[in-house]
Amino acid sequence: MRQIPLALLAPPTHRFDNFLPGANAEALAYLRGLSPGDPPVLLWGPTGSGKTHLLQALAEHWQAGGQRVAWYDADTPLPWELPAHESLLLLDDCQRFDAGQQHAAFALFVASAGQGYNIVATADVPAVDLDLREDLRTRLGWGPSFALEPLGEAEMRAVLRREADRRGLLLGDEVLGYLLTRFERNLKGLMTLLDRLDRFALASKRALTLPLLKAMLADEKIDSDPNL
């Protein structure tokens, strides 16, 4: 019987200063310089390219400056109401919005126009390719649009090592290499896997090694890519 570890370590805070930009430096610089009343911004790219990290970092940055932030995604229940004062409105994963949420998102655009609000949205493809109502697609594509790219292998290694260090884990080259060659190079998925591995190591009272990783995968009945 394994012990159940206590969640003693807070989850990482997504900030601008711990975002590794890679090829996304232009988007990072633009968001850092965003001013009240600027045109809407769309960040688009595949899962793991850092869209949600940047949205959360932007929220943290604005809130630290005493400004209001409102977050809307496919899990935010309707109705979506416009905050009473000038705010940063964040629309995450717009491609997941159902018909009611699309109507609500368009209403936010209309109600906030010219009132000093900012809208920053994310999606998996550019606005022109989104399967959304036309008026919402037009609004999402009206302002600056940035295509985000996933990190390269060297940058992904750096992020995983940094997170392991934050947790007090010794992430050896053997384990790191296995993660990057046997699993999809999706940073979000790999960070989740590292979190589970940390918990498994604590519960098992064993060091983080390749045999431990394989034992966890067998215990969870999770397989790596069979083609690798």
Side-chain angles (χ1 to χ4, degrees):
M1 181 177 68
R2 295 200 306 272
Q3 295 182 10
I4 300 176
L6 296 175
L8 298 178
L9 190 65
T13 301
H14 290 149
R15 304 185 308 272
F16 284 140
D17 61 7
N18 64 13
F19 178 76
L20 194 61
N24 304 317
E26 184 180 1
L28 174 61
Y30 188 89
L31 293 179
R32 280 183 177 275
L34 192 68
S35 299
D38 280 350
V41 180
L42 178 65
L43 309 173
W44 63 272
T47 300
S49 56
K51 302 185 299 295
T52 300
H53 185 137
L54 280 176
L55 229 56
Q56 293 175 346
L58 182 61
E60 189 272 342
H61 178 69
W62 278 52
Q63 287 174 328
Q67 294 164 299
R68 298 176 177 83
V69 177
W71 184 287
Y72 311 87
D73 59 31
D75 298 319
T76 305
L78 296 172
W80 293 358
E81 298 181 356
L82 186 71
H85 302 281
E86 294 84 352
S87 304
L88 173 65
L89 311 180
L90 303 176
L91 308 175
D92 195 25
D93 280 345
C94 292
Q95 76 281 352
R96 297 179 56 217
F97 290 178
D98 61 25
Q101 292 164 341
Q102 291 176 45
H103 177 79
F106 178 70
L108 290 175
F109 271 100
V110 173
S112 64
Q115 303 299 315
Y117 291 79
N118 290 74
I119 296 181
V120 180
T122 71
D124 59 354
V125 294
V128 67
D129 294 327
L130 283 169
D131 185 19
L132 300 174
R133 50 188 282 175
E134 179 63 22
D135 51 8
L136 178 57
R137 286 199 305 110
T138 300
R139 295 299 178 110
L140 288 170
W142 174 60
S145 179
F146 296 94
L148 301 187
E149 299 180 20
L151 295 176
E153 180 178 336
E155 295 152 332
M156 200 166 290
R157 283 177 177 270
V159 172
L160 290 171
R161 284 196 185 280
R162 184 175 63 191
E163 176 60 12
D165 290 344
R166 189 185 75 86
R167 293 170 174 272
L169 293 173
L170 179 60
L171 184 60
D173 290 336
E174 188 178 35
V175 174
L176 186 54
Y178 192 91
L179 291 173
L180 291 172
T181 57
R182 298 285 176 170
F183 294 88
E184 182 183 358
R185 289 182 185 176
N186 175 318
L187 184 57
K188 183 177 181 180
L190 288 172
M191 292 286 272
T192 300
L193 187 58
L194 182 62
D195 178 68
R196 295 205 307 272
L197 185 55
D198 183 14
R199 292 174 179 274
F200 190 81
L202 283 172
S204 304
K205 295 185 177 180
R206 295 167 59 187
L208 201 166
T209 62
L210 185 56
L212 181 74
L213 170 58
K214 291 181 177 180
M216 185 195 77
L217 297 176
D219 187 71
E220 297 182 349
K221 296 183 172 58
I222 295 175
D223 297 322
S224 57
D225 188 334
N227 297 317
L228 294 175

